[in-house]
């Protein structure tokens, strides 16, 4: 096969305790998976508890990854860039119509991630019934730290998920507050698309999202998964 120009390199994540990297395919994200955050976004209590999960996507190459302090460029066309700390599920196998009881078998590992959001652009899209892509799927919008393999550390179902900006705690939730658990998310998503090895799923953010500006230092963590440091430049 001859390409007309050099193909883009495959985005990838470091794997804790390994010199191998996790090759990333697609990035799926769950909207409103913690009731407190759904409420702060103005969703009704009913929508915050009873509706099935909904998904949006970011391009695979929107990924910013690494093991040390990550540098993230403040993106264009926004005056309101928000942090959303999330647990990221990394799939090592695929499937379609996966039963929730079998979903954990697909999981390679977990990482701490940031679903960076141009909140003003997303807000305008919501108002007009337009797609969220330009609010959610811009360059460097998907941040993730090292993957902690499930084979070593198991499957975290509870534990703190938190984020601080310049040392001030902004988000502080618990994985057990997810409305849709990881197994249910995988089962539901696999009815819509064939999941594949390399897919990442951002599992939603707890309450406390807010703006970040150039110069800010972010620190985030998920108990049993790891921590992440990033700087907005
Ligand atoms: Mn999110």
């Amino acid at each position: 096969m001859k390409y007309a120009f050099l193909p883009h390199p495959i985005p990838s994540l470091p794997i804790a305790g390994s010199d191998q990297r996790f090759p990333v395919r697609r990035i799926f994200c769950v909207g409103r998976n913690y009731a407190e955050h759904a409420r702060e976004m103005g969703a009704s209590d009913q929508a915050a508890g009873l509706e099935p999960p909904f998904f949006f996507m970011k391009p695979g190459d929107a990924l910013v990854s690494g093991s040390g302090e990550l540098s993230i460029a403040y993106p264009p066309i926004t005056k309101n860039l928000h942090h959303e700390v999330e647990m990221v599920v990394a799939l090592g196998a695929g499937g379609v119509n996966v039963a929730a009881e079998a979903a954990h078998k697909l999981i390679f590992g977990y990482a701490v991630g940031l679903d960076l959001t141009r909140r003003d652009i997303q807000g305008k899209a919501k108002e007009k019934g337009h797609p969220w892509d330009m609010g959610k799927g811009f360059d460097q919008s998907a941040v993730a730290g090292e993957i902690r393999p499930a084979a070593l550390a198991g499957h975290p179902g509870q534990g703190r998920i938190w984020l601080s900006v310049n040392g001030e705690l902004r988000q502080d939730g618990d994985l057990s507050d997810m409305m849709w658990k990881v197994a249910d998310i995988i089962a539901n998503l696999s009815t819509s698309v064939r999941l594949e090895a390399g897919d990442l799923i951002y599992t939603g953010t707890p309450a406390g999202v807010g703006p970040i500006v150039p110069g800010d230092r972010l620190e985030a963590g998920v108990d049993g998964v790891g921590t992440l440091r990033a700087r907005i430049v």
Side-chain angles (χ1 to χ4, degrees):
M1 164 121 51
K2 276 173 103 174
Y3 291 110
F5 51 87
L6 208 58
H8 188 273
I10 292 172
S12 66
L13 290 173
I15 300 169
S18 170
D19 59 358
Q20 295 184 330
R21 292 182 69 89
F22 179 92
V24 172
R25 190 165 187 262
R26 295 168 294 183
I27 302 176
F28 297 97
C29 306
V30 184
R32 295 182 202 132
N33 201 24
Y34 291 77
E36 278 301 316
H37 171 63
R39 279 191 278 276
E40 79 180 344
M41 289 289 102
S44 69
D45 280 359
Q46 188 176 17
L50 301 172
E51 302 256 317
F54 70 93
F55 299 94
F56 59 91
M57 296 184 72
K58 296 176 187 256
D61 66 3
L63 189 73
V64 180
S65 77
S67 301
E69 185 181 63
L70 304 172
S71 268
I72 299 159
Y74 194 91
I77 70 159
T78 185
K79 291 188 168 64
N80 197 17
L81 179 67
H82 273 206
H83 56 77
E84 297 190 359
V85 62
E86 313 208 354
M87 183 168 77
V88 181
V89 176
L91 298 187
V96 67
N97 295 326
V98 178
E101 303 74 50
H104 279 175
K105 289 186 198 141
L106 271 53
I107 299 173
F108 180 89
Y110 298 85
V112 183
L114 304 175
D115 163 16
L116 294 180
T117 302
R118 295 193 285 215
R119 193 70 74 199
D120 43 356
I121 305 300
Q122 184 202 24
K124 276 182 208 149
K126 281 183 184 173
E127 255 171 48
K128 296 184 172 180
H130 287 174
W132 286 12
D133 303 47
M134 290 302 113
K136 285 289 197 178
F138 50 93
D139 296 341
Q140 302 197 333
S141 59
V143 185
E146 289 186 328
I147 292 182
R148 176 73 55 91
L152 299 180
H155 299 275
Q158 55 181 44
R160 252 184 107 207
I161 174 169
W162 58 273
L163 176 139
S164 68
V165 179
N166 303 323
E168 181 199 333
L169 193 62
R170 294 256 193 104
Q171 293 187 264
D172 194 6
D174 197 285
L175 296 177
S176 61
D177 292 332
M178 281 190 196
M179 294 187 286
W180 290 89
K181 308 304 178 196
V182 169
D184 298 321
I185 291 167
I186 290 172
N188 185 285
L189 184 55
S190 75
T191 65
S192 299
V193 292
R194 173 178 292 279
L195 293 171
E196 299 287 356
D199 288 339
L200 299 180
I201 305 172
Y202 281 62
T203 56
T205 197
V209 301
I212 41 181
V213 295
D216 280 349
R217 286 202 137 93
L218 281 59
E219 206 171 348
V222 176
D223 277 0
V225 175
T227 58
L228 171 72
R229 286 182 303 125
R231 178 148 200 227
I232 310 299
V233 297

